[in-house]
Amino acid sequence: MSTATFDRETLAHWYAAEHLQTDPGIAKVIYLPQGAGPREIRFLEINTSIDEGPSNRPLLPIDFGVDTGQQSAHKLYVVDLTPQQWDQVLQRKLALPEGWSLDSKEEFPCE
């Protein structure tokens, strides 16, 4: 009997492609592997279809628990950002969630 294993890089690339294909508002997916737990994938998604909301609102990831209870169990965390919020993150005017870093980021633009 074969068991599924967790391959973070392969899954991150697959999730990014799926999110870009299925949500027309997503202009770019930013994959943030640095500092992530051993079974964790972290994304920032630049989404043109969302409302920015209050300017003092902290960026909070949404937890998409995936394959819970399986060999391949892992977490997919996504923070949706407007293009303006992404610019603020790049200018260090808006903080990422605690423990998240742009170091070693990988960008997947919409094609």
Side-chain angles (χ1 to χ4, degrees):
M1 180 166 99
S2 67
T3 58
T5 58
F6 176 69
D7 179 346
R8 182 198 328 255
E9 298 303 313
T10 299
L11 281 172
H13 287 239
W14 183 81
Y15 282 129
E18 288 295 306
H19 286 211
L20 287 164
Q21 280 184 336
T22 59
D23 187 337
I26 297 175
K28 184 185 299 188
V29 174
I30 315 295
Y31 168 47
L32 304 176
Q34 185 159 326
R39 291 187 165 270
E40 185 177 291
I41 297 170
R42 296 176 177 177
F43 281 166
L44 301 175
E45 293 186 350
I46 315 311
N47 194 327
T48 60
S49 298
I50 61 170
D51 180 36
E52 189 167 322
S55 61
N56 61 346
R57 180 187 67 148
L59 299 178
L60 299 173
I62 298 170
D63 176 0
F64 292 86
V66 185
D67 291 337
T68 306
Q70 305 294 320
Q71 268 312 103
S72 60
H74 59 281
K75 299 277 188 171
L76 171 62
Y77 291 104
V78 176
V79 173
D80 278 312
L81 303 166
T82 65
Q84 295 80 13
Q85 288 172 315
W86 174 234
D87 288 341
Q88 291 176 344
V89 166
L90 292 174
Q91 296 169 23
R92 307 241 189 269
K93 293 179 180 178
L94 183 61
L96 293 173
E98 187 173 335
W100 288 42
S101 170
L102 293 179
D103 295 340
S104 303
K105 75 180 184 303
E106 187 172 351
E107 297 188 20
F108 300 93
C110 185
E111 297 177 2

